[in-house]
């Protein structure tokens, strides 16, 4: 019995120790220490160079992805603007080629009557009535035998449909013809090729304003035009195309539909003394209205009209590139 009582007392002491709140406090402190250690390790890891590098890489990647999305959006807007500029330039080029084709037919009709363009301009300026009627009266008053009347009527219709002018002062501009050089060709000082002297060679892409012709040069069997090179004002005669049927031409209608090759500040005057008219965006479409050669080796100055808003101003020839569209003379 004594032994049993001793065993019972020992079990009671064990139960007391098991239920001792001091043990719970010790366990709590141990757990806190473990949690604190974990926090410390996490803090040390978060401030470690490797962790910072990883965070920086993730942050940089996120910023890079956002920048890529922004760049894509900006590129889409730029592509849309470029497409609009290209469409405007191509539409202008097509309209100008049609106008110059009609103007060429009318000028040749004037020359077939033994007259010059100035005679037509004078008849229009001195006449009384609508521009279209005055021009048609000029041609109708002096008919030419065997003339292609249908071609002349078609040229007149095209000329006034897309001409963009209805006043006598518009006629000189509407009758201006520009060509673009598609192959290198010499400018000579006279109509006859055999008797002429070479002045200089025009390079591919140069713009040439036609003032007379085309006329048939019988000795070589080619057509020639007289005019001036916009680049430097060199005046003379140029062969339109070789006398081989399938050979590509030297000159073709075109060169008035231009695009700004960079950001261009249009000047109110060719001298640039009266300030800027406005700025052109790179690729913006303009129409060539007039020009003047540069002084003492300076670049030629072009008078252009912006397709977007009709603003007119001057800028250097080197600031523009020609919209590639052309039609044979």
């Amino acid at each position: 019995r004594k032994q049993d009582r001793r065993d019972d007392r020992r079990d009671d002491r064990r139960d007391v120790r098991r239920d001792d709140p001091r043990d719970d406090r010790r366990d709590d402190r141990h757990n806190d220490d473990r949690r604190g250690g974990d926090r410390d390790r996490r803090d040390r890891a978060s401030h470690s160079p490797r962790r910072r590098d990883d965070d920086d890489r993730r942050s940089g990647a996120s910023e890079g992805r956002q920048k890529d999305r922004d760049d894509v959006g900006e590129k889409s807007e730029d592509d849309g603007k470029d497409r609009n500029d290209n469409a405007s330039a191509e539409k202008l080029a097509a309209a100008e080629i049609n106008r110059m084709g009609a103007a060429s037919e009318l000028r040749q009709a004037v020359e077939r009557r033994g007259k010059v363009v100035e005679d037509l301009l004078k008849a229009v300026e001195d006449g009384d009535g609508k521009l279209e009627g005055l021009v048609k009266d000029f041609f109708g008053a002096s008919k030419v035998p065997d003339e292609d009347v249908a071609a002349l009527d078609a040229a007149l219709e095209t000329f006034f449909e897309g001409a963009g002018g209805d006043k006598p002062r518009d006629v000189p501009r509407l009758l201006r013809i520009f060509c673009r050089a598609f192959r290198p060709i010499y400018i000579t000082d006279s109509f006859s090729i055999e008797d002429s002297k070479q002045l200089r060679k025009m390079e591919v892409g140069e713009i040439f304003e036609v003032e007379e012709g085309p006329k048939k040069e019988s000795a070589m069997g080619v057509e020639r035009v007289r005019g001036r090179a916009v680049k430097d004002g060199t005046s003379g005669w140029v062969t339109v195309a070789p006398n081989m049927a399938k050979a590509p031409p030297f000159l073709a209608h075109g060169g008035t539909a231009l695009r700004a090759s960079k950001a261009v500040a249009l000047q109110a005057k060719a001298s640039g003394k009266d300030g800027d008219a406005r700025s052109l965006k790179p690729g913006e479409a303009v129409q060539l209205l007039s020009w003047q050669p540069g002084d003492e080796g300076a670049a030629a100055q072009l008078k252009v009209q912006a397709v977007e808003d009709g603003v007119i101003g001057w800028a250097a020839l080197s600031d523009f590139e020609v919209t590639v569209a052309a039609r044979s003379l």
Side-chain angles (χ1 to χ4, degrees), residues 119-153:
D119 294 327
L120 171 59
L121 300 180
K122 188 174 186 305
V124 170
E125 291 172 359
D126 295 343
D128 183 17
K130 291 185 177 180
L131 176 61
E132 183 173 355
L134 294 173
V135 174
K136 289 183 177 180
D137 289 344
F138 174 84
F139 289 106
S142 54
K143 294 187 179 295
V144 176
D146 301 325
E147 184 173 51
D148 189 344
V149 177
L152 178 58
D153 289 342

Side-chain angles (χ1 to χ4, degrees), residues 145-261:
D146 301 325
E147 184 173 51
D148 189 344
V149 177
L152 178 58
D153 289 342
L156 286 167
E157 183 178 354
T158 301
F159 185 77
F160 287 107
E161 269 187 0
D166 58 359
K167 296 180 176 58
R169 67 171 179 270
D170 295 323
V171 176
R173 174 180 64 83
L174 299 178
L175 285 173
R176 298 187 82 163
I177 297 175
F178 291 86
C179 294
R180 180 174 179 266
F182 275 76
R183 299 169 61 187
I185 181 66
Y186 279 100
I187 303 173
T188 64
D189 63 350
S190 64
F191 175 70
S192 172
I193 296 177
E194 292 182 352
D195 300 331
S196 64
K197 176 185 176 181
Q198 294 177 347
L199 300 178
R200 79 166 181 88
K201 180 189 286 186
M202 278 204 307
E203 301 298 334
V204 174
E206 279 199 52
I207 304 172
F208 186 80
E209 182 174 9
V210 176
E211 298 173 338
E212 182 182 351
K215 291 183 176 181
K216 189 69 171 285
E217 206 272 12
S218 55
M220 300 298 294
V222 295
E223 290 191 326
R224 309 253 291 162
V225 292
R226 180 180 61 82
R228 293 184 298 161
V230 172
K231 180 179 180 180
D232 56 8
T234 301
S235 179
W237 288 85
V238 177
T239 300
V240 174
N243 53 11
M244 295 175 287
K246 295 184 178 180
F250 296 114
L251 298 178
H253 286 151
T256 56
L258 308 173
R259 284 184 292 196
S261 58

Side-chain angles (χ1 to χ4, degrees), residues 97 101 104 240-241 248-249 251-253 326-329:
I97 286 173
S104 179
V240 174
L251 298 178
H253 286 151
R327 181 182 296 167
S328 299
L329 275 67

